[in-house]
Amino acid sequence: MEDGFSSFWGPVTSTDRCEKNYVHSSYIAEFFNTISNVPGILLALIGLINALRQRFEKRFSVLHISNMILSIGSMLYHSTLQRVQQQGDETPMVWEVLLYFYILYSPDWHYQSTMPTFLFFYGVGFAVVHALFRFGFGFKLHYAILCLICIPRMYKYYIYTKDAAAKRLAKLYIATLLLGSICGVSDRVFCKQISNWYFNPQGHALWHVFMGFNSYFANTFLMFCRAQQREWDPKIFHFWGVLPYVKIQKPKSQ
């Protein structure tokens, strides 16, 4: 939210959120919207370490790394409020959904080389177009359509999974998505009213926190489902009795 404060990054050229700009530092435009990405980075790092330690397929390591890249891009965007940094946030969002699409649909895809090739060129093409043209509603619509394409497959995984702990992960995924959406939409729709409050609840920052957990729960659930497909005897355990993770037992031949 533009406030007329001097800044290191110059005038705002990107979409501005409801948080007041440069209140805490002349180097960070939206302080809470920036630091709220830290949980997402830490959760993705935990997921990456677990995927590498247990030698999951590389697709899951790439997925966790993409979550970290997305959170870092979001930090750069909200700390600078520059158009280039906003594109550096939005483009990885699309790449990440393409990666989820691959993980969800590739096990039953008969032409194994076709899907990754198509998704790669689709991602590159989008990055080029997005760098040349500025999208508003068009980007949101495109992103929403990609997400909706993933839902039927996610639901199929849920109904075919019998493990109660794994189903709980899917429910946590839905819960964090709904809570995060409520916070993010409220921050945008009621920004004028919120600006007059004594205390700003920082709805967009809460969206970041919830989506960090949302991505972690989604990744963990998909790792469990994939381990079931590979007959790796997956089980859900918890770090410190709180944070769920997948533990597998591969056959000796693997």
Side-chain angles (χ1 to χ4, degrees), residues 138-157:
F139 170 80
K140 296 180 181 67
L141 179 62
H142 172 248
Y143 183 73
I145 290 171
L146 291 177
C147 291
L148 288 172
I149 292 173
C150 293
I151 289 177
R153 188 66 174 189
M154 197 77 164
Y155 180 68
K156 180 181 178 181
Y157 278 16

Side-chain angles (χ1 to χ4, degrees), residues 40-200:
I41 295 173
L42 296 177
L43 288 167
L45 180 60
I46 291 171
L48 175 62
I49 292 171
N50 186 43
L52 291 173
R53 184 172 61 86
Q54 299 194 78
R55 294 187 293 115
F56 268 89
E57 293 164 302
K58 291 180 181 179
R59 66 187 69 181
F60 291 105
S61 297
V62 175
L63 181 60
H64 290 298
I65 291 171
S66 75
N67 292 155
M68 286 191 278
I69 291 173
L70 179 57
S71 294
I72 292 170
S74 181
M75 290 184 76
L76 292 173
Y77 160 38
H78 288 290
S79 63
T80 63
L81 291 182
Q82 299 298 299
R83 181 192 172 191
V84 172
Q85 279 73 18
Q86 181 175 356
Q87 290 174 319
D89 173 39
E90 292 176 345
T91 298
M93 288 173 64
V94 172
W95 290 348
E96 186 179 67
V97 177
L98 295 177
L99 186 54
Y100 277 117
F101 185 91
Y102 172 73
I103 291 173
L104 285 165
Y105 286 97
S106 63
D108 293 335
W109 196 264
H110 296 293
Y111 304 99
Q112 293 296 319
S113 62
T114 307
M115 180 183 288
T117 302
F118 169 77
L119 294 177
F120 173 79
F121 283 108
Y122 188 98
V124 171
F126 173 80
V128 172
V129 173
H130 194 42
L132 296 175
F133 303 97
R134 187 167 187 169
F135 299 107
F137 176 77
F139 170 80
K140 296 180 181 67
L141 179 62
H142 172 248
Y143 183 73
I145 290 171
L146 291 177
C147 291
L148 288 172
I149 292 173
C150 293
I151 289 177
R153 188 66 174 189
M154 197 77 164
Y155 180 68
K156 180 181 178 181
Y157 278 16
Y158 175 79
I159 60 176
Y160 277 92
T161 300
K162 305 302 180 184
D163 187 272
K167 282 183 173 291
R168 197 176 302 117
L169 281 173
K171 292 174 183 177
L172 287 169
Y173 163 78
I174 296 297
T176 50
L177 178 61
L178 290 175
L179 289 171
S181 298
I182 290 170
C183 292
V185 171
S186 299
D187 185 78
R188 176 178 290 274
V189 173
F190 302 110
C191 182
K192 288 185 178 180
Q193 294 88 330
I194 291 172
S195 301
N196 295 322
W197 293 0
Y198 176 77
F199 172 74
N200 185 339

